Amino acid sequence: MGRFVSFTLNGKPVRVYVEDNEILLNTLRYKLGIKSAKYGCGIGECGACTVLVDGRAVLSCLTLTTEVEGKEVLTAEGLGTPERLHTIQKAFAEHAAVQCGYCTPGFVMTAAALLKENPNPSEEEVREYIRGNYCRCTGYYNIVKAILAAAKELSGEA
Amino acid sequence: MTFKVSPGPKLDINKANTHILPPFTLIEPGSLKELLEVKAKYGEKAAILAGGTDLLVKMKLRILEPEYVISLKKVRSELSGIRREGDEIVIGAATLLRDIELNDSIMRLAPALFDAVIVMGGVQIRNMGTIGGNLGNASPAADTAPPLLVHSASVKLLSTSGERIVPLEEFFTGPGRTVMRPDEIIYEVRLKALGKGCGSAFMKIARTAFDLAKISAAAMICVEDGVIKEAKVAVGSAAPTPVRARSAEDALVGKAPTPETFLEAGKAARNDISPIDDVRSTAWYRRRVIAPLLHDVLQKALGRIGV
């Protein structure tokens, strides 16, 4: 069985027909043209599918699409574009916080949620907040650096 | 302006992943009354979707394949929230773990629960998972259980035939099993706020903070005139259910709150647990580590008295 679901995706209203057992990640990737959120483990361990729902970081692989009815979904595409990167995205590029890139959109979205809640996080707070995102390439060092740099720039200190 | 929707893909997108959700019929009750009626009608055939961080994983791994999934989407506000009632704190079953973490009064009045919630998964899991879900899932490793046990928590269950309040100590009956009938839902969790001269804490030993506990423990102690007047100790991942460690409690009451007392209590707790070897740890290790773990958690609880 299925049904229509309406929600806001990156600031624009969408209406899409989904199956009852359809997860948000698949709706985004296969029906709505979103490619940033990734399928990693599928069982809530890796954070590669992280998107923001009403400003909160959640796992789109463990969210039924029907659950976001009426809500605001934000993905990396809505944060910035290749021409106009968001400060966090730019910081990831500038600090080489990317190797294979698979986990990056998840990290960027988690960082976006963090900086909205806590504009001046300490290194420890950053590490704590990104605990649910796995990166198997970088060892996290540059990711943490990038998030701290983005925080500085966003709060006007850089 | 409307976002352009591409026509559906040719492939069945629900089969595009390595872990696939089995098919089910989704029910979205619009009121608490309707929720109870649906649960009464479908009973064991229906699973309640609160946060999905346990249920959907179990479904993807084919541990559970419910015919119906009942979404709390439309009744979430009725089942969420944290409020004070006399010396009790009442937490709605669908309250997000993250909202418990961010609530001032939890940190002040039930610090053991705060300790537990902040080490549950990553921030994403805490933005999704609920306290009722953690208890209803009834894992021996449920992180909210030991703190709730030392805060004398009880669970209010609702069904079309009425309500009942079950002390948390009687709630779990085995791994994944509780006293809940198929027609019942968890409505709220009630716990005792810390009294004067009391402190509580929770700690877990896990491979990483993200991981499930090899063993966990919570303690609540009250000290008056240099003597422990009241003590509650609970241990997780060391028996088929989270358990109270009464031998440890007996070893504490009437003594001075010293490191020696705490270590003795930790050793005494070995009588209260029945750990097994499993994927996360061994019975041998759990029996050894419980003593220093309880020592540490009691020290932490002591340090919070009067703060």
Side-chain angles (χ1 to χ4, degrees):
Chain A
M1 230 182 83
R3 61 195 76 205
F4 278 99
V5 177
S6 304
F7 57 97
T8 307
L9 174 61
N10 296 330
K12 292 166 190 160
V14 292
R15 184 172 148 82
V16 58
Y17 186 81
V18 302
E19 297 297 323
D20 278 359
N21 66 339
E22 192 166 315
I23 56 174
L24 179 61
L25 178 65
N26 284 347
T27 309
L28 293 175
R29 290 186 63 84
Y30 294 101
K31 293 185 178 169
L32 298 172
I34 296 298
K35 294 295 175 194
S36 65
K38 300 289 194 293
Y39 184 90
C41 67
I43 50 172
E45 306 273 0
C46 76
C49 66
T50 301
V51 300
L52 305 194
V53 174
D54 286 352
R56 287 186 182 223
V58 301
L59 302 171
S60 60
C61 81
L62 289 181
T63 302
L64 296 183
T65 310
T66 53
E67 292 288 301
V68 300
E69 169 82 43
K71 300 196 171 183
E72 283 187 29
V73 177
L74 188 73
T75 70
E77 285 87 344
L79 209 59
T81 61
E83 297 74 37
R84 290 183 58 124
L85 288 177
H86 185 272
T87 308
I88 297 172
Q89 293 166 323
K90 215 166 60 193
F92 267 66
E94 281 169 1
H95 290 82
V98 179
Q99 281 183 25
C100 85
Y102 200 83
C103 69
T104 310
F107 270 101
V108 166
M109 296 319 289
T110 305
L114 165 67
L115 297 186
K116 211 175 53 165
E117 267 174 43
N118 180 358
N120 286 301
S122 65
E123 180 181 335
E124 203 192 332
E125 284 168 332
V126 171
R127 286 187 178 274
E128 176 63 31
Y129 208 91
I130 61 173
R131 197 170 75 197
N133 290 79
Y134 283 5
C135 171
R136 301 287 83 153
C137 304
T138 69
Y140 304 98
Y141 185 78
N142 286 350
I143 295 173
V144 174
K145 244 177 28 181
I147 296 173
L148 287 170
K152 266 196 176 168
E153 194 175 333
L154 285 170
S155 58
E157 280 178 37
Chain B
M1 183 176 159
T2 325
F3 199 89
K4 195 164 163 272
V5 177
S6 59
K10 289 280 187 290
L11 97 156
D12 181 347
I13 65 170
N14 279 330
K15 296 197 172 134
N17 309 136
T18 51
H19 293 297
I20 298 161
L21 268 182
F24 54 83
T25 300
L26 185 72
I27 306 172
E28 300 180 333
S31 66
L32 192 57
K33 188 169 166 280
E34 203 185 316
L35 168 65
L36 297 176
E37 284 166 4
V38 169
K39 195 71 180 96
K41 185 172 171 198
Y42 295 114
E44 274 163 358
K45 285 190 203 156
I48 291 184
L49 174 69
T53 56
D54 279 317
L55 177 69
L56 296 186
V57 172
K58 283 185 170 173
M59 289 171 66
K60 284 185 175 191
L61 299 177
R62 300 300 189 273
I63 296 167
L64 283 177
E65 289 190 64
E67 209 173 316
Y68 301 92
V69 169
I70 305 173
S71 162
L72 296 183
K73 176 167 88 180
K74 293 176 181 163
V75 290
R76 195 169 278 277
S77 58
E78 249 182 292
L79 289 169
S80 304
I82 300 170
R83 64 177 202 277
R84 192 77 191 272
E85 260 182 34
D87 67 345
E88 283 193 319
I89 301 168
V90 185
I91 306 178
T95 305
L96 298 174
L97 298 170
R98 182 91 176 129
D99 289 333
I100 296 173
E101 167 189 352
L102 297 174
N103 187 288
D104 283 348
S105 60
I106 297 296
M107 170 131 194
R108 244 173 343 103
L109 302 170
L113 183 59
F114 175 80
D115 289 343
V117 171
I118 61 169
V119 293
M120 292 176 76
V123 70
Q124 297 95 326
I125 295 285
R126 303 203 295 280
N127 276 333
M128 303 167 75
T130 65
I131 190 167
N134 192 238
L135 295 177
N137 190 47
S139 161
D143 280 333
T144 64
L148 289 172
L149 283 170
V150 302
H151 276 274
S152 311
S154 54
V155 179
K156 188 181 194 175
L157 305 176
L158 285 191
S159 70
T160 44
S161 49
E163 65 169 61
R164 59 175 177 144
I165 292 179
V166 180
L168 191 61
E169 230 174 299
E170 294 161 23
F171 181 73
F172 303 111
T173 54
R177 292 200 307 273
T178 69
V179 297
M180 285 175 74
R181 298 191 311 260
D183 64 331
E184 283 179 316
I185 66 150
I186 304 178
Y187 180 67
E188 64 190 18
V189 181
R190 313 177 71 94
L191 57 142
K192 286 255 182 322
L194 272 190
K196 227 180 149 228
C198 304
S200 77
F202 167 89
M203 286 174 134
K204 76 173 175 185
I205 296 178
R207 210 163 38 122
T208 68
F210 190 87
D211 206 0
L212 289 176
K214 293 171 192 281
I215 185 165
S216 65
M220 196 278 295
I221 51 169
C222 304
V223 177
E224 211 180 292
D225 303 323
V227 174
I228 300 170
K229 296 292 275 188
E230 194 190 340
K232 289 215 170 79
V233 178
V235 185
S237 300
T241 68
V243 288
R244 277 276 291 281
R246 289 184 198 279
S247 311
E249 295 171 3
D250 292 343
L252 290 164
V253 175
K255 308 266 173 57
T258 62
E260 292 74 30
T261 308
F262 292 164
L263 199 58
E264 280 312 307
K267 287 179 186 161
R270 289 178 181 144
N271 298 321
D272 304 313
I273 59 172
S274 49
I276 55 165
D277 292 346
D278 63 15
V279 287
R280 275 181 289 279
S281 190
T282 61
W284 180 87
Y285 176 75
R286 286 165 164 142
R287 265 186 198 290
R288 299 278 296 209
V289 82
I290 190 170
L293 175 65
L294 276 186
H295 166 273
D296 291 358
V297 79
L298 284 160
Q299 282 289 0
K300 193 171 169 188
L302 178 69
R304 280 180 171 154
I305 295 179
V307 179

